Amino acid sequence: MTAPSHAPDVKSHVQRQFADVAANYRTSKVHAAGADLELMVAAADPQADMLALDAGCGAGHSALALAERAGSVFACDFTRAMLDQVEALADERAINSLALQQADVEQLPYSAASFDIVTTRYSAHHWQEPERALAEFRRVLKPSGVFVISDIMAGEDFAQDTFLQTIELLRDPSHVRDFRLSEWLAMLRAAGFVAEVLDRFELSLHFATWTQRMRTARSNRDMIKSLFAGASADIRRGFGLPEQISGDDFSFTIPGAVIRGRPAVV
């Protein structure tokens, strides 16, 4: 008989991991701004009479950007500590059109056809069952609504994909998967969306800041750097790695994309 496991499940791991580092995401420049955030809001096109949902909202940067234009925004996240950061940022900016909700994106506590807009940014790679989340987004969206996602996208090349998942997991044990663009498009179609890719981008990351934000253990940081140092020429080009890696003061890139989906007409 197999002994019972006392290890936390994936979702509990996510909560525990991000409860300790939530404040780091409030001040993160990568999360607070970026051309992809601007494009995501523009693609959602929030109006004063619209109700929006930012799912997996993290520290609230996307929700706050939507709230500057939308009538009301629900910001939901699985981790209470993240919602505390959203509340603090909203207070700082005197934004009072936000409603906070601790919730699982795979089981949303909202009625069908409630929202004009659903967005999510840099969250989906932590979801255990993204197909269920997309089905929930489709359920809570109005027939005329729009869904916009901005996230890291694994390369279609298997080696690039494997390399990205490996460094992500070493940096953050709660990482599940960066899906490929083709996988997202297939999942969106299956969930009842007509999807279009609005942009593909390379996200520049400073190694020391990237790992400090998640409080990555030194042993894991060293393993990531060892992978970087021993990477093939194709991998080095794909991740914008410098020729020499010394210390933690260097930058590299990972691929991302912004996708917009609209409910398919049945």
Side-chain angles (χ1 to χ4, degrees), residues 24 56 68 202 219 227 249:
N24 296 343
E68 292 177 359
E202 296 294 328
S219 58
L227 286 171
D249 186 17

Side-chain angles (χ1 to χ4, degrees), residues 14 21 37 58 62 80 84 100 106 134 146 191 204 218 226 242 246:
V14 169
V21 299
L37 176 57
S62 301
R80 180 66 242 181
D84 292 340
L100 307 184
E106 296 165 11
L134 291 176
V146 60
S204 180
R218 168 50 68 183
S226 178
S246 178

Side-chain angles (χ1 to χ4, degrees), residues 7 29 49 122 127 161 182 244:
K29 292 181 179 179
D49 60 347
Y122 297 158
W127 300 346
D161 184 340
S182 60
Q244 298 295 326

Side-chain angles (χ1 to χ4, degrees), residues 21-218:
V21 299
N24 296 343
Y25 283 79
R26 179 181 168 193
T27 58
S28 166
K29 292 181 179 179
V30 168
H31 294 80
D36 72 295
L37 176 57
E38 295 176 6
L39 176 58
M40 189 176 76
V41 174
D45 193 23
Q47 304 295 319
D49 60 347
M50 290 183 176
L51 181 62
L53 169 66
D54 189 39
C57 65
H61 301 293
S62 301
L64 290 166
L66 288 168
E68 292 177 359
R69 293 169 54 182
S72 186
V73 178
F74 280 71
C76 83
D77 199 90
F78 197 54
T79 305
R80 180 66 242 181
M82 282 296 191
L83 295 175
D84 292 340
Q85 301 303 315
V86 181
E87 188 171 30
L89 279 175
D91 288 344
E92 286 178 9
R93 302 182 193 180
I95 292 176
N96 55 17
S97 57
L98 279 180
L100 307 184
Q101 175 76 57
Q102 186 171 2
D104 186 342
V105 296
E106 296 165 11
Q107 194 173 1
L108 293 171
Y110 309 115
S111 300
S114 297
F115 295 97
D116 301 284
I117 297 166
V118 176
T119 62
T120 188
R121 182 172 180 251
Y122 297 158
S123 171
H125 50 273
H126 294 288
W127 300 346
Q128 194 169 3
E129 297 183 71
E131 297 93 340
R132 286 187 62 183
L134 291 176
E136 280 290 88
F137 299 161
R138 177 66 181 82
R139 180 182 68 82
V140 303
L141 264 178
K142 296 177 181 179
S144 59
V146 60
F147 167 64
V148 188
I149 177 174
S150 177
D151 204 18
I152 305 308
M153 301 283 159
E156 299 294 330
D157 175 84
F158 289 170
Q160 300 275 346
D161 184 340
T162 299
F163 194 89
L164 177 61
Q165 310 304 335
T166 303
I167 64 170
E168 287 268 60
L169 188 59
L170 283 170
R171 182 242 180 186
D172 172 12
S174 70
H175 174 74
V176 176
R177 174 164 176 76
D178 294 314
F179 289 91
R180 302 173 194 154
L181 191 56
S182 60
E183 291 174 317
W184 273 118
L185 294 175
M187 288 190 291
L188 283 161
R189 284 195 300 271
F193 287 98
V194 176
E196 58 180 322
V197 180
L198 301 181
D199 189 35
R200 302 182 68 171
F201 59 89
E202 296 294 328
L203 182 64
S204 180
L205 296 169
H206 182 255
F207 182 82
T209 305
W210 180 62
T211 51
Q212 288 167 5
R213 183 161 56 243
M214 188 47 70
R215 297 183 184 173
T216 306
R218 168 50 68 183

